[in-house]
Amino acid sequence: AKLKSFAAKIIQLLKEWTETFPYDFQDEKSMKELKEIAQRITQCDEENGTVKKIISQMTQNLLMALSARSQYQEIREKFRQPVTDKGTILKTKPQSTQKDILSVCCDPLILAQQLTYIELERVSNIYPEDLMQIVSHMDSLDNHKCRSDVTKTYNLEAYDNWFNCLSMLVATEICRVVKKKQRTRMVEFFIDVARECFNIGNFNSMMAII
């Protein structure tokens, strides 16, 4: 009875650990240790197999979480290519092929909604691990020898980069317009977009536009 009670507490601990900090189990050594602990706990409840089902589901969710983050990391790495001289590209392109943002989307509400989708996608990939890593880097590495292979997480950096990219996009779209009347129209358009972002509750995009 004591073993079953203890096993239930260990399962709860592992469940919360794997859900909150899945990156702790991405290397083979830690995953092997997790499986060994799970196997020993399963022996405490061999009769009805309830513990085995819970552990199996926990492991499956962990592997899915690690796989999803790995795919997201690969996709994001493709966009971390060196930035070329965009000014030169714009000069070499014919004027007719250079589209401004108004020709792509002239409705401030729709653009604000699309920006919000991007914000939510970026935010959904920020995990407690990203915040913990910032805290750990503030201290000396000598105090964090429990894990010798701390994996860097770039989700906060990606979110920060998105803010800068949006700011640069707004500035570029305004400055590339030659005529004052068109430039004024562009400024007014982005003011409307920022207002719609405010109404939606997307304050990050609003501040980037401002």
Side-chain angles (χ1 to χ4, degrees):
K2 286 183 179 181
L3 278 173
K4 286 183 179 181
S5 175
F6 179 72
K9 292 176 181 178
I10 292 294
I11 290 170
Q12 182 64 26
L13 171 65
L14 292 176
K15 192 169 180 291
E16 292 184 15
W17 191 355
T18 54
E19 288 175 357
T20 310
F21 299 102
Y23 263 17
D24 285 354
F25 302 94
Q26 68 175 348
D27 58 90
E28 292 182 8
K29 184 181 177 182
S30 56
M31 186 62 80
K32 184 182 177 182
E33 290 175 352
L34 177 65
K35 288 178 179 178
E36 287 175 357
I37 293 169
Q39 188 176 1
R40 293 180 68 180
I41 295 170
T42 307
Q43 294 173 355
C44 300
D45 186 41
E46 290 181 335
E47 296 173 4
N48 52 24
T50 306
V51 172
K52 190 175 182 179
K53 289 179 182 177
I54 295 170
I55 290 175
S56 177
Q57 185 64 46
M58 179 191 73
T59 307
Q60 187 177 354
N61 292 340
L62 173 62
L63 293 173
M64 286 174 64
L66 289 173
S67 176
R69 294 194 191 191
S70 177
Q71 289 176 3
Y72 177 73
Q73 186 95 352
E74 288 175 7
I75 292 169
R76 203 172 42 72
E77 285 296 329
K78 290 179 181 179
F79 293 98
R80 289 169 60 95
Q81 302 299 326
V83 180
T84 54
D85 187 357
K86 292 182 175 59
T88 307
I89 294 171
L90 287 171
K91 287 175 184 176
T92 55
K93 277 188 175 183
Q95 196 71 26
S96 58
T97 62
Q98 295 181 21
K99 291 184 178 181
D100 60 25
I101 199 161
L102 287 173
S103 63
V104 178
C105 178
C106 60
D107 189 335
L109 177 58
I110 292 176
L111 181 57
Q113 289 172 342
Q114 294 301 315
L115 292 175
T116 305
Y117 289 138
I118 296 171
E119 291 282 347
L120 291 172
E121 188 268 339
R122 295 291 193 279
V123 170
S124 66
N125 286 284
I126 296 176
Y127 300 94
E129 292 165 332
D130 301 289
L131 304 176
M132 290 297 293
Q133 189 176 9
I134 290 178
V135 174
S136 67
H137 281 304
M138 288 179 182
D139 299 329
S140 63
L141 293 174
D142 294 335
N143 297 330
H144 297 274
K145 289 183 177 178
C146 55
R147 286 193 62 197
S148 58
D149 52 345
V150 178
T151 303
K152 291 183 178 180
T153 53
Y154 300 100
N155 299 321
L156 278 170
E157 181 190 338
Y159 192 49
D160 184 54
N161 287 341
W162 158 246
F163 183 95
N164 295 331
C165 285
L166 180 56
S167 296
M168 287 187 283
L169 171 67
V170 173
T172 303
E173 288 295 323
I174 293 169
C175 293
R176 66 186 287 194
V177 180
V178 179
K179 295 181 180 180
K180 289 182 180 179
K181 190 177 288 185
Q182 292 177 339
R183 187 172 291 185
T184 303
R185 185 185 170 211
M186 189 70 74
V187 172
E188 289 174 347
F189 172 73
F190 278 114
I191 290 172
D192 291 337
V193 174
R195 186 181 291 112
E196 293 296 343
C197 285
F198 176 82
N199 293 334
I200 293 171
N202 181 4
F203 303 113
N204 200 61
S205 290
M206 181 194 73
M207 291 304 298
I209 292 169
I210 291 173

